[in-house]
Amino acid sequence: MPDSWQLTNRDHKAAHHELLTLTASSDCSLRTVWLNPSDNQLSVAEMKIAEESFPSLAVHLPETAWDEREIHDMFGWIPTGHPDLRPLIRTPRWPETYLPLRKNQQTPRWLEVEPDLPALKVEGDGVTIMKVGPTHAGIIESGHFIFSLIGENILHLDAHLFQNHRGVEALLEDKTIDKVAPIVTRICAADTVSNQTNWASAVERLVGFTPAPGTVLQRIILLEAERILSHLNDLAQIPAGVGFQVAHQRALAMKESWQRSLELLYGHRFLFDTVHPGWTRSAPADLLLDSLANLHRQWVPWRQLVVGHHGFADRMSGVGRTTLAQIDRFGAQGVAARAAGKTFDARQSTAYYEGFFNGSVTRSAGDVQARFDVRLDEVEASLQIIESAAGQLEIESPTELEFLVPKDLSGRIVTFTESPHGLNSHDVTLVNGIVFRYHIRSATFRNWPLLAQAVADNAVADFPLINKSFELCYSCTDR
Amino acid sequence: MAKTIRSLQIRHVDAGSCNGCEQELTALTGRDYDIQSHGIDIVASPRHADSLIVTGPVTDTMALPLDRVWETIPRPKVKIAFGNCAIGTGVFQRAYASHGGLADSDIEIPGCPPHPETALRLLCEWMTSHRRSHHTYIS
Ligand code: SF4
């Protein structure tokens, strides 16, 4: 018999709510927060862990399968009924008693063994196993991929990530409020503004502070500037995946010019350290509009080049397909989900964006081409959002506010934004001005299992292309 | 006779970066910085390399693979710490699964992430101030 924890969470999924977070804490609590996209209400479900275990949700809610494995690795609690409880983050080098997110843990002495974990492989006649990574033949983040192949085609991909696991959530614990932002900023360079905004909103909402309208406008501009930067990067990488060097190099040049604008406007090429609780770095409207015009001049001919290239379209269409049913099943997010027809975009549920967000960009094919095209249209939508937000900035841009955070600020809150990769949520608990628990759930964490589905039945030579079309970052998954 | 070093063939390993350092490394290969025109290139195999660029604070899981890549690169060779994390001055030094950066790098390129201009300048300066002789260029 399913218990109430399972039933409540299944009901949310059946009602097409979005799972923001599933968080375990060292006080033996387990909590999910769901967003209802039709009325933007959040619902919380909670349970207490007894006897070191809890009923697993993974069979009915595959999006929680990795969360529960992570909880098992970090706290040692067992999700009863989980279909695949192999370690996700922990490696054979971790001492068995080391559970990093339980309180009062000493930094471990790592065991002198290899970090590799057992792989899930297909066995049988004609199946070959190909291992790739963790180091790669280019400038790429580290990940370990175990392919089961039949001939040229992929039967199964077992992706072993978390090679880049630094221990960010544990690092954030016991920090005072002023020490959090420099760390949160650097979780992932591709989603930094989104992460910074989540932290800033968490503190502001716990204090009961409403940021000034100018601050909100600057945040919208920063979030969209980051989306453009990240999409330009991904749009540059996809042509590289098929050897379309002209499109690749020209997109990289466009990205470079955008980064120079960002450095000029905000003092950093990736917008690190720009959003803070209470205030946000600001840029003057005229310089912003100049930068937009400059990018637009390069964008239009580049778009013509890539859209009109039949060979390129031919290499992208039908490759790495995902269906809407798979997207829903895995709770996938962001560009990858919208490219298969899911309409959800967290901006629609963010109060900031009222009057700026004009509906999500979708496609239905769910292939490399669709993911490429969604990004094309989203860049143009972001340019428009920045333009209209810049048009509303006062001549005097808002200055750094004296924002006083009570020394003993306490409470728990979940905040979220649509990062360039999709729904990005933080679950923050403060006790007397100190971080008790900080959980980060990025969209890429939800999308990695989907990538394994998308590559099945494709030629292994297309893996780099499919991978680039998802462009899942490792750092905000691995943390 | 010892000659000034005119080229670096670099293998890159990410050992826990936030991907900011990777993106700036990629920028170096683009037309605006064009490291190849300075004799520097990122190569696909440690066997093709005479240097290693490391990004990130060296996570425990990447520590052994990183050592292995370094051992595979033929001598003489240099180790380059790219970014504050790899140098040992980043924000993740004290995270439990971080080894706190490289202890034995030959070249340090600071920044979070390093500006591509700074990176290019430091690499070129290092090449012009070092000679390819067995006494100064062996690790
Ligand atoms: S030095 Fe900065 S940019 Fe580079 S990996 Fe570390 S946090 Fe990221």
Side-chain angles (χ1 to χ4, degrees):
Chain A
M1 271 291 285
D3 76 347
S4 67
W5 168 249
Q6 291 170 317
L7 287 176
T8 314
N9 285 300
R10 275 188 221 172
D11 286 349
H12 283 299
K13 170 118 182 176
H16 300 289
H17 298 170
E18 301 294 339
L19 177 61
L20 297 180
T21 48
L22 163 54
T23 313
S25 300
S26 54
D27 60 4
C28 293
S29 71
L30 208 57
R31 186 161 107 145
T32 49
V33 179
W34 293 86
L35 165 71
N36 180 351
S38 46
D39 62 6
N40 300 331
Q41 292 301 307
L42 299 187
S43 319
V44 176
E46 226 163 346
M47 72 162 292
K48 275 280 172 202
I49 288 168
E51 293 168 9
E52 309 274 310
S53 70
F54 60 95
S56 168
L57 303 173
V59 170
H60 293 271
L61 285 79
E63 61 263 66
T64 63
W66 277 26
D67 292 90
E68 291 184 347
R69 285 168 69 184
E70 179 174 319
I71 291 167
H72 182 229
D73 285 349
M74 294 290 149
F75 294 91
W77 298 321
I78 295 169
T80 319
H82 195 291
D84 174 15
L85 209 49
R86 290 176 299 153
L88 186 72
I89 301 175
R90 89 179 292 120
T91 74
R93 294 170 54 79
W94 297 29
E96 214 169 299
T97 52
Y98 184 57
L99 298 164
L101 288 178
R102 289 210 183 179
K103 295 283 178 189
N104 305 319
Q105 296 277 313
Q106 300 289 326
T107 306
R109 259 177 197 285
W110 307 106
L111 308 178
E112 287 301 322
V113 294
E114 295 292 327
D116 298 346
L117 291 164
L120 210 61
K121 302 178 232 176
V122 180
E123 288 176 352
D125 282 351
V127 179
T128 7
I129 303 300
M130 185 176 91
K131 290 192 175 195
V132 181
T135 63
H136 298 277
I139 307 166
I140 318 172
E141 291 178 86
S142 293
H144 200 174
F145 301 102
I146 297 105
F147 294 93
S148 300
L149 305 175
I150 185 111
E152 297 281 316
N153 284 359
I154 301 167
L155 275 176
H156 181 72
L157 164 63
D158 195 19
H160 290 192
L161 305 171
F162 304 95
Q163 317 281 331
N164 284 350
H165 179 69
R166 296 158 288 192
V168 174
E169 292 187 2
L171 181 69
L172 284 164
E173 290 189 3
D174 300 326
K175 294 275 182 288
T176 50
I177 290 172
D178 56 315
K179 299 280 188 299
V180 172
I183 299 173
V184 167
T185 289
R186 288 164 180 80
I187 296 166
C188 170
D191 292 352
T192 174
V193 178
S194 165
N195 282 320
Q196 295 175 53
T197 306
N198 283 352
W199 163 243
S201 315
V203 175
E204 288 161 1
R205 286 176 49 202
L206 286 174
V207 172
F209 171 85
T210 313
T215 304
V216 170
L217 288 174
Q218 291 287 352
R219 285 186 188 169
I220 292 176
I221 294 169
L222 283 160
L223 285 161
E224 296 310 313
E226 163 162 277
R227 192 174 332 278
I228 292 173
L229 176 62
S230 177
H231 280 10
L232 284 178
N233 180 69
D234 303 352
L235 289 167
Q237 295 305 332
I238 294 169
V242 302
F244 190 5
Q245 279 298 326
V246 184
H248 169 62
Q249 284 296 341
R250 279 175 59 182
L252 275 187
M254 227 172 359
K255 178 189 172 194
E256 174 64 29
S257 119
W258 186 238
Q259 282 188 286
R260 288 182 186 183
S261 296
L262 298 181
E263 190 180 16
L264 191 77
L265 293 165
Y266 294 101
H268 197 277
R269 283 163 59 88
F270 293 92
L271 305 171
F272 283 11
D273 304 311
T274 51
V275 181
H276 303 265
W279 65 283
T280 295
R281 281 192 77 137
S282 57
D286 52 344
L287 278 184
L288 269 165
L289 294 173
D290 285 353
S291 306
L292 290 184
N294 181 34
L295 179 61
H296 202 255
R297 262 197 304 280
Q298 303 164 70
W299 173 261
V300 173
W302 182 82
R303 184 175 174 140
Q304 267 168 5
L305 168 76
V306 292
V307 168
H309 197 292
H310 296 293
F312 184 39
D314 205 42
R315 283 291 284 110
M316 291 193 292
S317 66
V319 177
R321 283 203 59 208
T322 53
T323 62
L324 188 54
Q326 284 172 321
I327 300 289
D328 286 339
R329 203 172 127 68
F330 285 94
Q333 295 293 343
V335 169
R338 290 190 287 276
K342 177 167 170 160
T343 54
F344 179 69
D345 181 315
R347 286 177 286 179
Q348 76 196 43
S349 304
T350 315
Y352 279 5
Y353 273 94
E354 247 178 64
F356 289 103
F357 182 63
N358 293 322
S360 43
V361 174
T362 58
R363 290 289 187 282
S364 57
D367 56 4
V368 174
Q369 170 98 60
R371 291 185 282 275
F372 187 82
D373 290 350
V374 167
R375 287 191 183 91
L376 283 180
D377 287 358
E378 286 194 355
V379 167
E380 292 184 354
S382 293
L383 286 168
Q384 272 170 13
I385 294 176
I386 297 181
E387 198 179 331
S388 58
Q392 292 185 23
L393 284 173
E394 321 268 295
I395 310 290
E396 290 274 313
S397 23
T399 47
E400 185 172 336
L401 276 174
E402 264 309 313
F403 172 65
L404 286 179
V405 180
K407 285 249 174 309
D408 57 348
L409 184 67
S410 299
R412 182 170 186 178
I413 193 146
V414 169
T415 53
F416 64 92
T417 35
E418 177 77 19
S419 82
H421 291 89
L423 177 66
N424 177 27
S425 318
H426 290 195
D427 184 346
V428 185
T429 310
L430 298 177
V431 176
N432 289 326
I434 303 231
V435 175
F436 175 79
R437 174 83 173 100
Y438 202 121
H439 181 51
I440 303 136
R441 181 53 72 235
S442 69
T444 51
F445 186 93
R446 298 260 177 262
N447 288 354
W448 270 108
L450 180 75
L451 174 68
Q453 302 282 318
V455 298
D457 279 344
N458 284 264
V460 68
D462 273 340
F463 176 71
L465 174 64
I466 301 168
N467 197 14
K468 284 173 202 296
S469 76
F470 277 83
E471 198 62 21
L472 305 174
C473 48
Y474 301 64
S475 46
C476 54
T477 302
D478 298 1
R479 288 153 292 136
Chain B
M1 203 188 80
K3 286 184 185 155
T4 304
I5 292 171
R6 298 230 182 88
S7 88
L8 277 176
Q9 302 293 301
I10 305 173
R11 166 77 172 188
H12 162 249
V13 171
D14 162 24
S17 147
C18 76
N19 77 46
C21 280
E22 276 68 33
Q23 293 195 51
E24 294 300 46
L25 268 179
T26 307
L28 281 171
T29 66
R31 73 165 192 210
D32 290 275
Y33 303 100
D34 199 10
I35 48 168
Q36 284 168 307
S37 68
H38 298 268
I40 309 168
D41 205 359
I42 309 284
V43 296
S45 158
R47 287 302 197 197
H48 304 162
D50 58 13
S51 43
L52 174 68
I53 269 192
V54 180
T55 52
V58 185
T59 56
D60 181 66
T61 313
M62 281 309 292
L64 285 181
L66 176 65
D67 283 351
R68 219 155 280 149
V69 169
W70 176 243
E71 282 159 21
T72 312
I73 298 177
R75 289 157 204 272
K77 55 187 166 184
V78 286
K79 199 183 263 187
I80 306 162
F82 191 93
N84 292 350
C85 283
I87 291 174
T89 56
V91 300
F92 300 112
Q93 300 314 121
R94 302 173 78 83
Y96 66 83
S98 146
H99 288 204
L102 294 174
D104 56 349
S105 58
D106 304 287
I107 308 174
E108 289 187 347
I109 303 179
C112 182
H115 197 292
E117 252 164 41
T118 317
L120 187 57
R121 182 173 51 77
L122 289 177
L123 288 172
C124 290
E125 280 175 9
W126 187 87
M127 289 198 295
T128 47
S129 64
H130 281 73
R131 284 171 186 280
R132 204 178 279 281
S133 88
H134 285 283
H135 302 292
T136 55
Y137 189 39
I138 286 187
S139 296

